[in-house]
Amino acid sequence: QITLKESGPTLVKPTQTLTLTCSFSGFSLNTSGVGVGWIRQPPGKALEWLALIYWDDDKRYSPSLKTNLTITKDTSKNQVVLTMTNMDPVDTATYYCARATYSGSEYFDYWGQGTLVTVSS
Amino acid sequence: DIQMTQSPSSLSASVGDRVSITCRASQSISSYLNWYQQKPGKAPKLLIYAASSLQSGVPSRFSGSGSGTDFTLTISSLQPEDFATYYCQQSYSTPLYTFGQGTRLEIK
């Protein structure tokens, strides 16, 4: 059974750095073709892809947020960490992590429950 | 950047109806198109990948078609549990995996 779960602060102040952890089980980030990504969703709005890290440590970032994002993995702990610097109230959103895999297209087949992060002073 | 545009933005339908949702890419994305369903307060759920492949466990009333720039998600006979928001997502253009703006499917 594949599961993912996000953890981190629910409230951060503007300009602070957000650190979110995705803890997963049921698959390995050592497996070729597998990745873990982060996607966010502001309240009442659409999904926005942020970052993705692959089994071989290849990393991809949303161009519009690249300067503020860092994604890393700890394969031994089955965790992926996303850091986002200089948080702003517009970054208030539910943050999801999801497993990425490829079969004719790359897609997110398993998702965490999401964690709501509010940016406010 | 590739833009994904869904239509309609919202749709009212009845149980048993056949409904279709369209997703258009701003440039060709071959078949690198996926569909997700999201219910309020829940994470998205993968329905269709690679434009027309049904994810394991997803009912066969869901189907996907298209290639290039125009794609369609069809629900052959709406069930009460299908009322949700649907998103398309392209994975042709990396590093940006763009989602559409969503289509809200409501009960008429």
Side-chain angles (χ1 to χ4, degrees):
Chain A
Q1 181 187 7
I2 291 174
T3 64
L4 302 96
K5 188 173 184 179
E6 308 86 354
S7 60
T10 57
L11 178 66
V12 297
K13 291 179 167 39
T15 75
Q16 286 187 337
T17 294
L18 171 69
T19 299
L20 293 173
T21 300
C22 177
S23 301
F24 58 87
S25 63
F27 69 96
S28 171
L29 251 183
N30 283 323
T31 302
S32 178
V34 172
V36 172
W38 287 92
I39 303 99
R40 71 178 179 181
Q41 185 172 39
K45 297 189 177 181
L47 300 164
E48 178 185 21
W49 171 77
L50 302 177
L52 199 153
I53 188 165
Y54 292 95
W55 85 101
D56 59 356
D57 211 38
D58 185 17
K59 301 167 186 177
R60 307 289 171 91
Y61 296 100
S62 169
S64 62
L65 295 167
K66 183 175 183 177
T67 57
N68 296 79
L69 296 175
T70 302
I71 190 170
T72 60
K73 63 181 174 71
D74 186 331
T75 306
S76 65
K77 293 182 178 179
N78 282 349
Q79 290 182 336
V80 170
V81 175
L82 180 76
T83 60
M84 189 170 183
T85 61
N86 196 26
M87 293 291 284
D88 183 272
V90 300
D91 298 312
T92 294
T94 296
Y95 287 75
Y96 297 99
C97 64
R99 188 183 82 155
T101 191
Y102 180 89
S103 179
S105 175
E106 190 163 72
Y107 50 86
F108 298 106
D109 57 352
Y110 292 91
W111 295 63
Q113 64 189 24
T115 185
L116 176 62
V117 178
T118 301
V119 184
S120 175
S121 54
Chain B
D1 295 354
I2 296 177
Q3 309 299 320
M4 306 301 294
T5 304
Q6 291 181 229
S7 61
S9 296
S10 63
L11 173 61
S12 294
S14 301
V15 173
D17 284 354
R18 178 184 179 91
V19 299
S20 293
I21 298 169
T22 297
C23 180
R24 175 165 289 175
S26 58
Q27 65 186 74
S28 177
I29 58 170
S30 185
S31 296
Y32 290 80
L33 191 284
N34 311 308
W35 289 97
Y36 301 84
Q37 175 195 66
Q38 187 180 33
K39 296 182 179 179
K42 300 295 186 182
K45 173 187 174 182
L46 177 69
L47 299 175
I48 302 286
Y49 62 93
S52 60
S53 295
L54 190 68
Q55 171 69 349
S56 175
V58 174
S60 59
R61 63 180 180 273
F62 290 93
S63 64
S65 63
S67 66
T69 60
D70 294 322
F71 302 86
T72 302
L73 173 70
T74 299
I75 309 172
S76 61
S77 178
L78 271 175
Q79 298 302 299
E81 61 268 30
D82 300 338
F83 292 94
T85 300
Y86 294 84
Y87 292 95
C88 63
Q89 176 234 336
Q90 67 86 14
S91 61
Y92 177 82
S93 169
T94 62
L96 187 60
Y97 301 90
T98 324
F99 288 90
Q101 82 278 16
T103 295
R104 186 175 179 181
L105 179 54
E106 301 174 319
I107 301 174
K108 183 183 286 185

